[in-house]
Amino acid sequence: MTDEDLLLARLRSGEQAAYKVLVERYQGAMRAIAIAIVGMSSADEVVQDSWLSVVRNIDGFAGRASLKTWLLTITANAAKTRLKKQRREVFIDDIAGPHGTIGADRFKADGHWQQSPLGWHTDSPEALLDEQELRECLDHTLTSLSELQCSVLLLRDRQCLELEEICNLLEISHSNVRVLLHRARLSVFATLEHFEDTGEC
Amino acid sequence: MLTCKGLVAQSSDLLDGSLSFRQRLAARTHLAICFHCRRFIRQMRISQRVIRTLPEAPLPDLEHLLRAISEQRAAQSDDHNER
Ligand SMILES: [Zn+2]
């Protein structure tokens, strides 16, 4: 029996502690999906509805997909139901970061670096995140991204979903996902670089 | 010849393994000769790990959610018993 089979058996027998494990493990990803589709304001409601739907349907879960994929699909469907037909547009260009990202001004006319990347004092994410102020800067940067862009970043780089899975769940094209992800990553990079350089956001 | 600007534009696809064979070859060739872009790619990877490592936002009202789940389960098993 895999860890997942075991968890599933516990869920089906109605063990409350098993639901707690499930919520703690997948709430972050479910929330990112909900935010991407319905926005921050109704995301928590969608996630709550999704959990109730999970409870209703857990006996019918056939195990063809992974539990995670099943949960995220339920969440995406709940969010889309909520949204009905008013699909939010994907505005790719509506995002201004807290400060410059890696824009054209970083390069010379011949395409070489004008202002090359600075060295950082450490390669360790943990050491970087030791700075409370940097954590606040990153929060600020994530908030400044569009909800969709932030969700795509979290689903890919935090929840480690495949690009394909993100496209399917959010019903956006592969090229849109790639653009959103790239810009979000550059914003995070720029935040870290700026903080390394100045100690400020 | 791939420029630094071009490499940066493709950097996410490089990290995700989404480049074509030809593009990947061009990127590798550029990285072999360009210290600045090597550093940039290394820092992009660190940025990814920073996002991965960020402390999780606290779960909103977990207790409330768990109570709702347990009420739902109780309601369901009542249904079963009545049938
Ligand atoms: Zn270069």
Side-chain angles (χ1 to χ4, degrees), chain A residues 113, chain B residues 3-4 7 30 34 36-37:
Chain A
W113 289 96
Chain B
T3 62
C4 299
L7 184 118
H30 183 97
C34 182
H36 299 303
C37 285

Side-chain angles (χ1 to χ4, degrees), chain A residues 11 19 22 30 47-61 67 70-72 74-75, chain B residues 69 72-73 76:
Chain A
L11 291 168
Y19 278 98
L22 203 65
M30 289 169 67
V47 171
Q48 164 120 2
D49 291 350
S50 307
W51 280 116
L52 298 184
S53 167
V54 165
V55 174
R56 270 198 302 281
N57 296 300
I58 191 83
D59 290 329
F61 171 64
L67 197 52
W70 184 66
L71 289 170
L72 297 185
I74 286 184
T75 310
Chain B
I69 287 176
Q72 166 99 19
R73 284 208 63 93
Q76 262 171 255

Side-chain angles (χ1 to χ4, degrees), chain B residues 44-76:
Chain B
M44 282 289 272
R45 286 188 207 282
I46 299 170
S47 307
Q48 284 184 290
R49 279 160 49 216
V50 163
I51 291 299
R52 182 109 185 79
T53 315
L54 270 183
E56 185 88 61
L59 296 175
D61 53 13
L62 181 61
E63 289 310 311
H64 176 79
L65 178 59
L66 287 171
R67 213 174 319 119
I69 287 176
S70 105
E71 279 164 18
Q72 166 99 19
R73 284 208 63 93
Q76 262 171 255

Side-chain angles (χ1 to χ4, degrees), chain A:
Chain A
M1 236 187 191
T2 65
D3 169 57
E4 191 167 303
D5 293 334
L6 201 63
L7 184 60
L8 200 55
R10 290 170 61 204
L11 291 168
R12 285 182 171 145
S13 73
E15 196 189 312
Q16 191 71 357
Y19 278 98
K20 188 157 187 283
V21 171
L22 203 65
V23 172
E24 280 168 349
R25 198 178 290 175
Y26 296 118
Q27 179 92 353
M30 289 169 67
R31 206 151 176 276
I33 297 275
I35 290 172
I37 297 173
V38 298
M40 192 75 84
S41 55
S42 11
D44 283 340
E45 261 176 87
V46 164
V47 171
Q48 164 120 2
D49 291 350
S50 307
W51 280 116
L52 298 184
S53 167
V54 165
V55 174
R56 270 198 302 281
N57 296 300
I58 191 83
D59 290 329
F61 171 64
R64 274 192 297 272
S66 70
L67 197 52
K68 181 177 185 179
T69 301
W70 184 66
L71 289 170
L72 297 185
T73 306
I74 286 184
T75 310
N77 289 338
K80 285 169 202 160
T81 306
R82 160 74 55 122
L83 201 60
K84 302 223 169 80
K85 295 201 169 64
Q86 314 150 261
R87 256 193 83 65
R88 274 147 38 89
E89 305 259 328
V90 181
F91 291 116
I92 300 274
D93 285 319
D94 64 351
I95 310 119
H99 48 255
T101 58
I102 306 298
D105 57 332
R106 289 289 292 264
F107 301 95
K108 296 184 220 163
D110 66 2
H112 283 93
W113 289 96
Q114 168 91 267
Q115 192 196 338
S116 58
L118 303 162
W120 294 355
H121 82 281
T122 171
D123 279 0
S124 149
E126 288 82 6
L128 288 165
L129 288 170
D130 268 347
E131 299 263 12
Q132 165 71 17
E133 277 179 50
L134 176 63
R135 295 203 300 272
E136 284 166 15
C137 294
L138 285 168
D139 269 353
H140 178 71
T141 298
L142 293 181
T143 314
S144 77
L145 302 176
S146 76
E147 290 168 334
L148 182 60
Q149 199 179 18
C150 181
S151 289
V152 168
L153 176 73
L154 295 179
L155 289 171
R156 178 66 185 145
D157 284 347
R158 187 173 176 89
Q159 308 290 343
C160 303
L161 264 57
E162 295 298 328
L163 290 180
E164 203 59 40
E165 211 173 347
I166 298 173
C167 295
N168 293 339
L169 288 164
L170 303 184
E171 290 181 7
I172 50 183
S173 71
H174 204 263
S175 58
N176 262 356
V177 167
R178 284 162 54 206
V179 171
L180 290 164
L181 187 59
H182 185 54
R183 299 217 177 158
R185 283 174 176 162
L186 289 182
S187 298
V188 172
F189 169 87
T191 302
L192 290 167
E193 183 181 59
H194 191 75
F195 190 85
E196 280 290 308
D197 187 24
T198 64
E200 291 171 3
C201 285

